[in-house]
Amino acid sequence: MTSIAVPEHPWLLPGELVVPAERVRARPRRTTRDWVVDILAFLLSLLWVLFVTADALSPDPSMATPLPHDWMTGADALLGLTCCGLLWLRRRWPLGLLVATTPLTMFSMASAIPLVILYFTVVVHRRTAIAVAVTGVGLLTNMVMSWLRPDPTMAYWATASWGVVITFAVLAWGMFVRARRQLIVSLRERAERAEAEQQLRVAQARHLERTRIAREMHDVLAHRISLLSLHAGALEFRPDAPADEVARAAGVIRGSAHAALQDLREVIGVLRAEDGGDDAPEPPQPTLADLPALIAESRSAGVRVNVSDSVAEPGKVPAALGRAAYRIVQEGLTNARKHAAGAAVTVDVAGGPGDGLTVAIGNRWPVGAPAGGTLPGAGTGLVGISERVTLAGGRLAYGRDDSGDFRLAAWLPWPA
Protein backbone atom coordinates (compact mmCIF):
# COMPACT_ATOMS: atom_id res chain seq x y z
CA MET A 1 0.00 0.00 0.00
CA THR A 2 1.08 3.54 -0.67
CA SER A 3 2.17 5.42 2.43
CA ILE A 4 0.83 8.96 2.82
CA ALA A 5 3.48 11.45 3.82
CA VAL A 6 2.42 13.28 6.99
CA PRO A 7 3.45 16.95 7.16
CA GLU A 8 5.74 17.93 10.00
CA HIS A 9 3.32 20.62 11.21
CA PRO A 10 -0.15 19.75 9.86
CA TRP A 11 -1.80 22.33 12.13
CA LEU A 12 -0.20 25.07 10.03
CA LEU A 13 -1.91 23.87 6.83
CA PRO A 14 -5.49 24.33 5.59
CA GLY A 15 -7.76 21.34 6.03
CA GLU A 16 -7.84 20.72 2.26
CA LEU A 17 -4.08 20.14 2.20
CA VAL A 18 -4.09 17.77 5.17
CA VAL A 19 -6.74 15.46 3.71
CA PRO A 20 -5.12 12.60 1.70
CA ALA A 21 -5.38 12.70 -2.07
CA GLU A 22 -7.91 9.85 -2.27
CA ARG A 23 -10.24 11.81 0.08
CA VAL A 24 -9.78 15.20 -1.54
CA ARG A 25 -13.53 15.51 -2.17
CA ALA A 26 -14.43 14.79 1.43
CA ARG A 27 -15.24 17.73 3.69
CA PRO A 28 -12.04 18.26 5.68
CA ARG A 29 -11.98 19.04 9.36
CA ARG A 30 -10.73 22.39 10.54
CA THR A 31 -7.10 22.49 11.48
CA THR A 32 -5.61 24.82 14.08
CA ARG A 33 -4.72 27.21 11.30
CA ASP A 34 -8.34 27.16 10.05
CA TRP A 35 -9.66 27.92 13.53
CA VAL A 36 -7.28 30.85 13.90
CA VAL A 37 -8.30 32.23 10.48
CA ASP A 38 -12.02 31.81 11.21
CA ILE A 39 -11.72 33.50 14.60
CA LEU A 40 -9.78 36.42 13.11
CA ALA A 41 -12.33 36.76 10.28
CA PHE A 42 -15.20 36.75 12.77
CA LEU A 43 -13.54 39.34 15.03
CA LEU A 44 -12.64 41.56 12.09
CA SER A 45 -16.19 41.41 10.76
CA LEU A 46 -17.62 42.09 14.24
CA LEU A 47 -15.38 45.13 14.70
CA TRP A 48 -16.44 46.35 11.26
CA VAL A 49 -20.14 46.05 12.18
CA LEU A 50 -19.59 47.96 15.42
CA PHE A 51 -17.55 50.65 13.67
CA VAL A 52 -20.04 51.16 10.83
CA THR A 53 -22.98 51.23 13.24
CA ALA A 54 -21.27 53.75 15.49
CA ASP A 55 -20.34 55.87 12.45
CA ALA A 56 -23.93 55.79 11.14
CA LEU A 57 -25.29 56.89 14.53
CA SER A 58 -22.79 59.74 14.85
CA PRO A 59 -23.85 63.32 13.99
CA ASP A 60 -21.37 63.48 11.10
CA PRO A 61 -21.00 60.02 9.44
CA SER A 62 -17.97 59.53 7.21
CA MET A 63 -18.51 56.05 5.74
CA ALA A 64 -21.74 56.47 3.80
CA THR A 65 -24.89 58.50 3.61
CA PRO A 66 -26.90 57.80 6.78
CA LEU A 67 -30.16 55.87 6.56
CA PRO A 68 -33.33 57.96 6.93
CA HIS A 69 -34.53 56.14 10.06
CA ASP A 70 -32.69 54.89 13.13
CA TRP A 71 -34.44 51.53 13.00
CA MET A 72 -32.87 51.00 9.57
CA THR A 73 -29.45 51.51 11.11
CA GLY A 74 -30.31 48.90 13.75
CA ALA A 75 -31.57 46.54 11.07
CA ASP A 76 -28.35 47.04 9.12
CA ALA A 77 -26.34 46.23 12.24
CA LEU A 78 -28.47 43.11 12.80
CA LEU A 79 -27.83 41.98 9.22
CA GLY A 80 -24.12 42.55 9.73
CA LEU A 81 -24.12 40.45 12.91
CA THR A 82 -26.03 37.71 11.09
CA CYS A 83 -23.42 37.67 8.34
CA CYS A 84 -20.70 37.48 11.01
CA GLY A 85 -22.35 34.34 12.37
CA LEU A 86 -22.66 32.86 8.89
CA LEU A 87 -18.88 33.03 8.54
CA TRP A 88 -18.64 29.91 10.73
CA LEU A 89 -20.55 27.98 8.03
CA ARG A 90 -18.72 29.40 5.04
CA ARG A 91 -16.38 26.40 4.66
CA ARG A 92 -19.34 24.04 4.29
CA TRP A 93 -21.69 26.09 2.08
CA PRO A 94 -19.65 28.96 0.61
CA LEU A 95 -21.57 29.40 -2.64
CA GLY A 96 -25.04 28.99 -1.11
CA LEU A 97 -24.33 31.54 1.60
CA LEU A 98 -22.92 34.03 -0.89
CA VAL A 99 -25.93 33.69 -3.21
CA ALA A 100 -28.32 34.14 -0.25
CA THR A 101 -26.55 37.25 1.05
CA THR A 102 -25.69 38.93 -2.28
CA PRO A 103 -28.79 41.20 -2.19
CA LEU A 104 -27.43 42.73 1.03
CA THR A 105 -24.46 44.17 -0.87
CA MET A 106 -26.83 46.67 -2.52
CA PHE A 107 -27.61 48.58 0.69
CA SER A 108 -26.00 47.04 3.82
CA MET A 109 -22.75 48.73 4.78
CA ALA A 110 -22.39 46.68 7.97
CA SER A 111 -22.32 43.45 5.96
CA ALA A 112 -19.54 44.58 3.64
CA ILE A 113 -16.53 42.86 5.31
CA PRO A 114 -18.35 39.53 6.07
CA LEU A 115 -19.60 39.43 2.48
CA VAL A 116 -16.11 40.12 1.12
CA ILE A 117 -14.81 37.19 3.19
CA LEU A 118 -17.61 34.99 1.83
CA TYR A 119 -16.74 36.07 -1.70
CA PHE A 120 -13.05 35.27 -1.10
CA THR A 121 -14.02 31.79 0.19
CA VAL A 122 -16.03 31.09 -2.97
CA VAL A 123 -13.12 32.15 -5.20
CA VAL A 124 -10.74 29.85 -3.30
CA HIS A 125 -12.97 26.78 -3.09
CA ARG A 126 -14.97 26.87 -6.33
CA ARG A 127 -13.93 26.66 -9.96
CA THR A 128 -13.04 29.75 -11.99
CA ALA A 129 -16.33 29.92 -13.92
CA ILE A 130 -18.30 30.26 -10.68
CA ALA A 131 -15.85 32.83 -9.34
CA VAL A 132 -16.19 34.94 -12.50
CA ALA A 133 -20.01 34.69 -12.36
CA VAL A 134 -20.25 35.88 -8.75
CA THR A 135 -17.71 38.60 -9.53
CA GLY A 136 -19.95 39.93 -12.29
CA VAL A 137 -22.95 39.96 -9.98
CA GLY A 138 -20.88 41.65 -7.30
CA LEU A 139 -19.82 44.42 -9.69
CA LEU A 140 -23.47 45.15 -10.48
CA THR A 141 -24.48 45.28 -6.83
CA ASN A 142 -21.47 47.51 -6.18
CA MET A 143 -22.84 50.02 -8.68
CA VAL A 144 -26.23 49.92 -6.96
CA MET A 145 -24.64 50.33 -3.51
CA SER A 146 -22.62 53.35 -4.67
CA TRP A 147 -25.87 54.93 -5.94
CA LEU A 148 -28.10 54.11 -2.94
CA ARG A 149 -25.58 54.97 -0.24
CA PRO A 150 -22.90 57.21 -1.77
CA ASP A 151 -19.84 58.33 0.09
CA PRO A 152 -20.39 61.88 1.32
CA THR A 153 -16.82 62.88 0.50
CA MET A 154 -16.40 61.21 -2.93
CA ALA A 155 -18.12 61.30 -6.29
CA TYR A 156 -20.25 58.39 -7.47
CA TRP A 157 -17.76 57.09 -10.07
CA ALA A 158 -14.89 57.36 -7.63
CA THR A 159 -16.77 55.30 -5.05
CA ALA A 160 -17.81 52.73 -7.68
CA SER A 161 -14.25 52.53 -9.00
CA TRP A 162 -12.91 51.77 -5.53
CA GLY A 163 -15.45 48.97 -5.24
CA VAL A 164 -14.29 47.53 -8.57
CA VAL A 165 -10.64 47.73 -7.50
CA ILE A 166 -11.36 45.97 -4.20
CA THR A 167 -13.41 43.29 -5.97
CA PHE A 168 -10.68 42.49 -8.49
CA ALA A 169 -8.01 42.55 -5.77
CA VAL A 170 -9.95 39.96 -3.75
CA LEU A 171 -10.52 37.91 -6.94
CA ALA A 172 -6.81 37.91 -7.79
CA TRP A 173 -5.81 37.02 -4.24
CA GLY A 174 -8.33 34.16 -4.07
CA MET A 175 -7.31 32.75 -7.44
CA PHE A 176 -3.66 32.85 -6.39
CA VAL A 177 -4.45 30.95 -3.17
CA ARG A 178 -6.52 28.40 -5.11
CA ALA A 179 -3.80 27.89 -7.72
CA ARG A 180 -1.17 27.41 -5.02
CA ARG A 181 -3.28 24.81 -3.21
CA GLN A 182 -4.00 22.99 -6.45
CA LEU A 183 -0.28 22.91 -7.20
CA ILE A 184 0.49 21.44 -3.77
CA VAL A 185 -2.23 18.79 -4.15
CA SER A 186 -1.00 17.97 -7.66
CA LEU A 187 2.59 17.56 -6.49
CA ARG A 188 1.49 15.35 -3.62
CA GLU A 189 -0.63 13.18 -5.93
CA ARG A 190 2.27 12.93 -8.34
CA ALA A 191 4.61 11.85 -5.54
CA GLU A 192 2.12 9.29 -4.27
CA ARG A 193 1.56 8.00 -7.81
CA ALA A 194 5.31 7.70 -8.37
CA GLU A 195 5.67 5.81 -5.08
CA ALA A 196 2.79 3.50 -6.01
CA GLU A 197 4.26 2.87 -9.45
CA GLN A 198 7.65 2.16 -7.89
CA GLN A 199 6.09 -0.34 -5.49
CA LEU A 200 4.23 -1.91 -8.42
CA ARG A 201 7.46 -2.23 -10.40
CA VAL A 202 9.16 -3.82 -7.38
CA ALA A 203 6.24 -6.23 -6.96
CA GLN A 204 6.28 -7.10 -10.66
CA ALA A 205 10.04 -7.63 -10.59
CA ARG A 206 9.69 -9.83 -7.53
CA HIS A 207 6.90 -11.81 -9.20
CA LEU A 208 8.91 -12.26 -12.40
CA GLU A 209 11.95 -13.34 -10.43
CA ARG A 210 9.95 -15.85 -8.42
CA THR A 211 8.36 -17.12 -11.63
CA ARG A 212 11.80 -17.56 -13.15
CA ILE A 213 13.00 -19.42 -10.05
CA ALA A 214 9.90 -21.62 -10.12
CA ARG A 215 10.55 -22.42 -13.78
CA GLU A 216 14.17 -23.34 -13.02
CA MET A 217 12.99 -25.38 -10.05
CA HIS A 218 10.54 -27.28 -12.25
CA ASP A 219 13.14 -27.97 -14.93
CA VAL A 220 15.74 -29.21 -12.45
CA LEU A 221 13.57 -31.17 -10.04
CA ALA A 222 11.45 -32.76 -12.76
CA HIS A 223 14.63 -34.09 -14.36
CA ARG A 224 16.01 -35.37 -11.05
CA ILE A 225 12.78 -36.96 -9.88
CA SER A 226 12.14 -38.63 -13.23
CA LEU A 227 15.54 -40.30 -12.90
CA LEU A 228 14.65 -41.39 -9.37
CA SER A 229 11.36 -42.86 -10.58
CA LEU A 230 13.04 -44.67 -13.45
CA HIS A 231 15.64 -46.37 -11.24
CA ALA A 232 13.11 -47.13 -8.53
CA GLY A 233 10.84 -48.69 -11.13
CA ALA A 234 13.68 -50.87 -12.37
CA LEU A 235 14.31 -52.13 -8.84
CA GLU A 236 10.58 -52.73 -8.35
CA PHE A 237 10.12 -54.81 -11.49
CA ARG A 238 13.46 -56.63 -11.27
CA PRO A 239 13.81 -57.69 -7.65
CA ASP A 240 16.00 -60.61 -8.80
CA ALA A 241 18.58 -58.38 -10.48
CA PRO A 242 22.25 -59.01 -9.72
CA ALA A 243 23.58 -57.41 -6.59
CA ASP A 244 25.96 -55.13 -8.45
CA GLU A 245 23.12 -53.73 -10.62
CA VAL A 246 20.96 -53.20 -7.53
CA ALA A 247 23.84 -51.43 -5.81
CA ARG A 248 24.49 -49.27 -8.87
CA ALA A 249 20.79 -48.34 -9.16
CA ALA A 250 20.62 -47.56 -5.44
CA GLY A 251 23.71 -45.39 -5.81
CA VAL A 252 22.14 -43.48 -8.68
CA ILE A 253 18.95 -43.04 -6.63
CA ARG A 254 20.93 -41.77 -3.67
CA GLY A 255 22.96 -39.37 -5.84
CA SER A 256 19.89 -38.07 -7.64
CA ALA A 257 18.02 -37.60 -4.36
CA HIS A 258 21.01 -35.75 -2.89
CA ALA A 259 21.24 -33.50 -5.97
CA ALA A 260 17.49 -32.85 -5.92
CA LEU A 261 17.62 -31.89 -2.24
CA GLN A 262 20.59 -29.62 -2.90
CA ASP A 263 18.77 -27.90 -5.77
CA LEU A 264 15.64 -27.53 -3.64
CA ARG A 265 17.67 -26.09 -0.76
CA GLU A 266 19.28 -23.53 -3.03
CA VAL A 267 15.94 -22.46 -4.53
CA ILE A 268 14.29 -22.14 -1.12
CA GLY A 269 17.30 -20.15 0.09
CA VAL A 270 16.82 -17.69 -2.75
CA LEU A 271 13.09 -17.42 -2.06
CA ARG A 272 13.66 -16.80 1.64
CA ALA A 273 16.23 -14.08 1.02
CA GLU A 274 14.14 -10.92 1.34
CA ASP A 275 16.86 -8.61 0.14
CA GLY A 276 18.02 -10.89 -2.66
CA GLY A 277 21.49 -10.17 -1.38
CA ASP A 278 24.73 -12.02 -1.25
CA ASP A 279 23.75 -14.47 1.51
CA ALA A 280 21.87 -16.71 -0.92
CA PRO A 281 23.78 -16.73 -4.22
CA GLU A 282 22.26 -18.60 -7.10
CA PRO A 283 24.05 -21.73 -8.28
CA PRO A 284 25.96 -21.59 -11.57
CA GLN A 285 23.54 -21.87 -14.47
CA PRO A 286 24.09 -24.66 -17.03
CA THR A 287 25.35 -23.89 -20.51
CA LEU A 288 25.65 -25.82 -23.76
CA ALA A 289 28.95 -27.26 -22.51
CA ASP A 290 27.00 -29.13 -19.79
CA LEU A 291 24.88 -30.94 -22.37
CA PRO A 292 27.12 -34.07 -22.56
CA ALA A 293 26.83 -34.54 -18.79
CA LEU A 294 23.04 -34.32 -19.05
CA ILE A 295 23.03 -36.93 -21.83
CA ALA A 296 25.35 -39.19 -19.85
CA GLU A 297 23.10 -38.90 -16.79
CA SER A 298 20.09 -40.03 -18.83
CA ARG A 299 22.05 -42.87 -20.41
CA SER A 300 23.14 -44.07 -16.98
CA ALA A 301 19.46 -44.32 -16.10
CA GLY A 302 18.92 -46.70 -19.02
CA VAL A 303 17.53 -44.22 -21.54
CA ARG A 304 18.73 -44.77 -25.10
CA VAL A 305 19.79 -41.36 -26.35
CA ASN A 306 21.15 -40.72 -29.83
CA VAL A 307 22.87 -37.36 -30.11
CA SER A 308 23.70 -35.35 -33.22
CA ASP A 309 25.75 -32.28 -32.39
CA SER A 310 26.78 -30.13 -35.33
CA VAL A 311 27.14 -26.76 -33.66
CA ALA A 312 29.69 -24.53 -35.34
CA GLU A 313 32.04 -22.82 -32.89
CA PRO A 314 30.43 -24.22 -29.71
CA GLY A 315 32.84 -22.22 -27.56
CA LYS A 316 31.25 -18.97 -28.78
CA VAL A 317 27.69 -19.85 -27.83
CA PRO A 318 26.31 -17.05 -25.60
CA ALA A 319 25.59 -18.11 -22.03
CA ALA A 320 21.87 -17.28 -22.20
CA LEU A 321 21.51 -19.14 -25.50
CA GLY A 322 23.34 -22.19 -24.17
CA ARG A 323 21.26 -22.20 -20.99
CA ALA A 324 18.02 -22.10 -23.00
CA ALA A 325 19.19 -24.97 -25.21
CA TYR A 326 20.18 -26.99 -22.14
CA ARG A 327 16.75 -26.50 -20.55
CA ILE A 328 14.99 -27.48 -23.78
CA VAL A 329 16.95 -30.74 -24.02
CA GLN A 330 16.41 -31.37 -20.31
CA GLU A 331 12.64 -30.92 -20.66
CA GLY A 332 12.57 -33.15 -23.75
CA LEU A 333 14.40 -35.96 -21.95
CA THR A 334 12.19 -35.59 -18.89
CA ASN A 335 9.03 -35.82 -21.00
CA ALA A 336 10.38 -38.89 -22.79
CA ARG A 337 11.05 -40.65 -19.48
CA LYS A 338 7.60 -39.66 -18.20
CA HIS A 339 5.44 -40.53 -21.18
CA ALA A 340 7.49 -42.86 -23.39
CA ALA A 341 9.48 -45.02 -21.04
CA GLY A 342 11.76 -47.41 -22.91
CA ALA A 343 11.60 -45.48 -26.19
CA ALA A 344 14.79 -44.27 -27.85
CA VAL A 345 15.31 -40.51 -27.83
CA THR A 346 17.08 -38.51 -30.51
CA VAL A 347 18.68 -35.16 -29.71
CA ASP A 348 19.76 -32.91 -32.57
CA VAL A 349 21.62 -29.66 -31.89
CA ALA A 350 22.85 -27.62 -34.84
CA GLY A 351 23.52 -24.06 -35.84
CA GLY A 352 26.09 -21.32 -35.81
CA PRO A 353 26.54 -17.56 -35.47
CA GLY A 354 24.10 -15.73 -37.70
CA ASP A 355 22.09 -18.86 -38.52
CA GLY A 356 20.62 -19.46 -35.08
CA LEU A 357 20.63 -22.54 -32.90
CA THR A 358 18.22 -25.39 -33.61
CA VAL A 359 17.38 -27.89 -30.88
CA ALA A 360 15.17 -30.90 -31.60
CA ILE A 361 14.24 -33.83 -29.35
CA GLY A 362 12.18 -36.73 -30.69
CA ASN A 363 10.94 -40.10 -29.51
CA ARG A 364 8.51 -42.77 -30.68
CA TRP A 365 4.91 -42.22 -29.68
CA PRO A 366 4.09 -44.63 -26.81
CA VAL A 367 1.73 -47.53 -27.53
CA GLY A 368 -0.52 -48.37 -24.60
CA ALA A 369 0.02 -47.37 -20.99
CA PRO A 370 3.52 -47.90 -19.63
CA ALA A 371 4.02 -50.43 -16.89
CA GLY A 372 3.60 -48.87 -13.48
CA GLY A 373 1.65 -45.90 -14.90
CA THR A 374 2.93 -42.48 -15.92
CA LEU A 375 4.62 -39.98 -13.68
CA PRO A 376 2.38 -37.15 -12.49
CA GLY A 377 2.83 -33.80 -14.19
CA ALA A 378 1.03 -30.47 -14.36
CA GLY A 379 1.96 -29.79 -17.99
CA THR A 380 3.80 -26.60 -17.05
CA GLY A 381 7.16 -27.78 -18.37
CA LEU A 382 6.36 -27.12 -22.01
CA VAL A 383 4.64 -23.87 -21.04
CA GLY A 384 7.80 -22.73 -19.30
CA ILE A 385 9.94 -23.76 -22.27
CA SER A 386 7.60 -21.90 -24.62
CA GLU A 387 7.90 -18.77 -22.49
CA ARG A 388 11.67 -19.13 -22.36
CA VAL A 389 11.92 -19.46 -26.13
CA THR A 390 9.55 -16.52 -26.68
CA LEU A 391 11.59 -14.29 -24.39
CA ALA A 392 14.72 -15.28 -26.31
CA GLY A 393 13.04 -14.26 -29.59
CA GLY A 394 12.87 -17.79 -30.96
CA ARG A 395 10.25 -20.24 -32.15
CA LEU A 396 8.96 -23.45 -30.57
CA ALA A 397 6.90 -26.31 -31.95
CA TYR A 398 5.95 -29.60 -30.32
CA GLY A 399 3.55 -32.45 -30.97
CA ARG A 400 3.27 -35.44 -33.28
CA ASP A 401 5.07 -35.12 -36.59
CA ASP A 402 4.18 -36.68 -39.96
CA SER A 403 5.60 -40.05 -38.96
CA GLY A 404 3.54 -40.17 -35.77
CA ASP A 405 6.48 -39.61 -33.42
CA PHE A 406 6.58 -36.88 -30.77
CA ARG A 407 8.93 -34.04 -31.60
CA LEU A 408 9.97 -30.97 -29.64
CA ALA A 409 11.82 -28.47 -31.81
CA ALA A 410 13.03 -24.94 -31.09
CA TRP A 411 14.95 -22.33 -33.00
CA LEU A 412 16.86 -19.71 -31.04
CA PRO A 413 18.53 -16.61 -32.56
CA TRP A 414 22.33 -16.57 -32.45
CA PRO A 415 23.69 -13.16 -33.48
CA ALA A 416 26.58 -13.17 -35.86
Side-chain angles (χ1 to χ4, degrees), residues 37-406:
V37 171
D38 290 348
I39 292 173
L40 291 178
F42 175 78
L43 293 178
L44 177 63
S45 300
L46 185 61
L47 291 176
W48 172 259
V49 173
L50 297 177
F51 174 75
V52 169
T53 304
D55 181 74
L57 295 175
S58 65
D60 187 18
S62 60
M63 295 298 299
T65 301
L67 296 170
H69 303 286
D70 291 342
W71 67 268
M72 292 184 178
T73 303
D76 188 18
L78 183 60
L79 291 175
L81 292 176
T82 302
C83 291
C84 290
L86 293 178
L87 290 179
W88 292 105
L89 304 176
R90 65 188 178 89
R91 296 183 183 274
R92 187 167 187 176
W93 301 297
L95 183 59
L97 292 177
L98 183 62
V99 171
T101 56
T102 294
L104 300 179
T105 59
M106 292 187 292
F107 58 87
S108 177
M109 181 63 68
S111 304
I113 294 300
L115 295 181
V116 168
I117 295 176
L118 281 175
Y119 168 63
F120 176 80
T121 305
V122 170
V123 174
V124 171
H125 295 280
R126 294 297 181 264
R127 61 181 186 270
T128 304
I130 295 178
V132 172
V134 298
T135 300
V137 176
L139 292 176
L140 293 177
T141 58
N142 171 69
M143 298 297 180
V144 177
M145 177 69 174
S146 301
W147 179 67
L148 292 178
R149 301 191 64 180
D151 192 303
T153 62
M154 298 178 62
Y156 169 77
W157 289 110
T159 305
S161 298
W162 273 110
V164 172
V165 170
I166 294 174
T167 300
F168 279 111
V170 175
L171 176 65
W173 184 21
M175 293 182 66
F176 170 77
V177 173
R178 176 176 174 79
R180 182 177 178 275
R181 293 185 182 183
Q182 287 180 334
L183 176 62
I184 294 175
V185 172
S186 175
L187 292 176
R188 182 173 61 186
E189 290 178 351
R190 186 180 302 176
E192 293 173 359
R193 191 181 304 112
E195 182 181 357
E197 290 175 354
Q198 175 64 22
Q199 293 181 357
L200 180 61
R201 285 194 293 269
V202 171
Q204 290 177 343
R206 185 182 294 113
H207 175 72
L208 292 176
E209 181 63 17
R210 288 176 180 265
T211 302
R212 185 188 65 82
I213 293 174
R215 185 168 58 240
E216 296 287 340
M217 181 177 179
H218 171 274
D219 294 341
V220 173
L221 293 184
H223 172 70
R224 302 288 188 190
I225 294 174
S226 64
L227 291 177
L228 283 172
S229 177
L230 188 63
H231 286 283
L235 291 179
E236 179 182 2
F237 289 100
R238 290 197 59 192
D240 56 344
D244 57 341
E245 292 185 7
V246 173
R248 184 168 61 254
V252 173
I253 292 175
R254 180 182 60 81
S256 298
H258 177 76
L261 288 175
Q262 182 65 26
D263 293 334
L264 182 62
R265 188 181 300 112
E266 291 172 348
V267 170
I268 292 177
V270 173
L271 291 176
R272 285 179 175 175
E274 291 295 333
D275 56 355
D278 300 332
D279 294 336
E282 294 189 21
Q285 296 296 316
T287 62
L288 196 63
D290 298 314
L291 200 56
L294 177 66
I295 301 298
E297 191 176 36
S298 296
R299 285 172 174 170
S300 66
V303 181
R304 292 173 295 166
V305 183
N306 301 317
V307 181
S308 174
D309 187 354
S310 57
V311 177
E313 303 181 12
K316 295 183 179 181
V317 177
L321 179 62
R323 180 167 59 253
Y326 180 93
R327 293 305 186 193
I328 293 171
V329 174
Q330 186 181 55
E331 178 64 23
L333 293 175
T334 301
N335 284 338
R337 287 193 297 270
K338 281 184 178 181
H339 307 292
V345 183
T346 59
V347 177
D348 297 323
V349 183
D355 297 329
L357 186 66
T358 301
V359 181
I361 303 95
N363 58 266
R364 298 299 300 272
W365 190 264
V367 179
T374 59
L375 292 175
T380 58
L382 291 176
V383 175
I385 292 299
S386 177
E387 181 181 357
R388 187 189 296 274
V389 172
T390 301
L391 292 176
R395 300 185 299 270
L396 178 70
Y398 55 87
R400 300 187 71 170
D401 57 13
D402 296 337
S403 61
D405 297 338
F406 181 82

